[in-house]
Structures are given as C-alpha cells and as structure tokens.
Amino acid sequence: MTPEFLHECFTYDAETGLLHWKHRPLKHFLTEREWKLVNTRQAEKLAGSERKRNDGKGYLYIKACGKYEAVHRVALIMSGIEIPSGMVVDHINGDRQDNRLCNLRVTTPSGNAMNLKKRSNNTSGQHGIMWRKERSAWAVRLVVDGKTHVCGHFKDIGKAIECRDAALVRLGFSELHGKERGC
C-alpha cells in the first residue's frame, strides 16, 4: 500500500493515534454499487480491528483491497516515515493499541526485543536474572543481537540486580525493558 493510496483511504491523527476511514474514491472499487456500500458502511468511522495473539492481546489491523496491514505501520507510512526492509515498528510504552506517533519507533528486531515487558514465567521477579540451582547463585544473563552476555553469578540478588542494571545501560536497553506496565 502506497502512501498516496493510504491518504485516499484514511485520516490519521498523530496525537490520538486514531485512524478513520475516508469517503473513498470510485477508482478503488470494481463497481459503483460496491463503492456506495463500502462508503456508506465505513466513511468517517474508526478504522482497524484487533487481531488477537496467544496472550489475548493484539495489534490493530485494517483491510484494504484484500490486504491486511497493521495500523501502526499505516500510521508511520502516512506520516512520511519509511520502514526499511528488515526493520520493525516498536510500541515504546508496550501498548500494542497505542498508535500515537510519539509512541512508535522504527527499530531492528533486536532493538524491539530490548523493550520487552517482564515475562509471565519469570521466577526471580527480575528480568535477566535467574536462579542457577547447580551453582546456588543468581545468574545475570542478557541477549543482544543473538549474542548472550553473561554478567556473572551472585549469592545476593541485590548484587545481581546492580550488575544487571549496569549491563542494561551499557548494552543500550530501553528503560522500560522488563518492567511491569499498566497496558
């Protein structure tokens, strides 16, 4: 979907992150009847519906000309921001439905992973810190660009947290990485 096509179909409000259908031109349709039906049903209404994921939360998607596209990608394209091949769009605050321009950034898949919430199966309560039974110690381990960084093993979880926090800064992780969020 080209930026021109998207601008013919939608209005995007960068402050609210909302996408609305426009009254679309006849050239987008095979018949005048289809044109009238779709515009009667969609024009000026909120665009995008949620496609749920395994965790019950999903991204908003639109369907135009038989193709699905994520609303966050549409928002960036309509705002003149290119999404190069191999790059992804990250929701900075972790809310998959918050498509305000200030909450979206283009990044690598690894950069996106550096802004993850705390996993539900986390046993230590701390991201990147796990109990190693065989050592009777807390291990600090972070992964960046597929490379594992082992920062050490600690008897005291407080020391493990200090080491992990320093490593997060050094490795360029988001300040929200591993934190609980109200999303």
Side-chain angles (χ1 to χ4, degrees):
M1 293 183 212
T2 66
E4 297 76 28
F5 174 79
L6 293 173
H7 281 285
E8 289 176 348
C9 295
F10 305 102
T11 58
Y12 169 65
D13 183 338
E15 300 222 358
T16 64
L18 298 177
L19 194 66
H20 286 86
W21 287 100
K22 282 185 176 179
H23 192 300
R24 294 169 57 195
L26 181 58
K27 69 182 183 180
H28 287 197
F29 302 92
L30 297 175
T31 66
E32 188 173 331
R33 181 178 184 281
E34 183 185 11
W35 170 69
K36 285 180 182 177
L37 283 170
V38 170
N39 279 320
T40 299
R41 194 173 52 230
Q42 289 181 336
E44 298 181 23
K45 293 192 177 153
L46 194 60
S49 57
E50 184 178 10
R51 293 179 77 184
K52 294 210 187 284
R53 297 167 46 108
N54 293 340
D55 61 6
K57 298 175 186 170
Y59 295 98
L60 296 175
Y61 281 83
I62 56 95
K63 184 178 181 183
C65 295
K67 294 181 180 178
Y68 285 97
E69 188 65 74
V71 170
H72 54 269
R73 293 181 72 83
V74 170
L76 289 180
I77 293 167
M78 289 184 71
S79 300
I81 299 170
E82 189 177 329
I83 307 167
S85 178
M87 301 292 272
V88 297
V89 179
D90 179 33
H91 289 80
I92 297 166
N93 70 3
D95 182 346
R96 295 177 180 146
Q97 295 189 7
D98 182 354
N99 293 308
R100 293 173 297 136
L101 194 57
C102 65
N103 187 47
L104 303 175
R105 70 180 179 127
V106 177
T107 186
T108 63
S110 180
N112 192 25
M114 293 171 90
N115 189 25
L116 292 174
K117 296 178 186 178
K118 183 171 62 174
R119 293 175 55 108
S120 61
N121 64 351
N122 182 301
T123 56
S124 71
Q126 300 291 326
H127 174 77
I129 300 175
M130 66 201 77
W131 180 254
R132 299 287 303 267
K133 190 176 181 179
E134 67 277 5
R135 290 186 177 220
S136 296
W138 296 102
V140 178
R141 188 183 79 147
L142 302 167
V143 179
V144 179
D145 292 326
K147 183 177 178 188
T148 301
H149 298 264
V150 178
C151 303
H153 295 82
F154 303 87
K155 299 287 182 192
D156 176 34
I157 194 164
K159 298 276 187 202
I161 292 170
E162 285 177 26
C163 176
R164 186 270 327 266
D165 288 347
L168 289 175
V169 171
R170 186 177 73 251
L171 296 170
F173 279 76
S174 163
E175 62 188 35
L176 296 174
H177 185 71
K179 302 254 184 341
E180 287 292 334
R181 300 179 196 173
C183 305

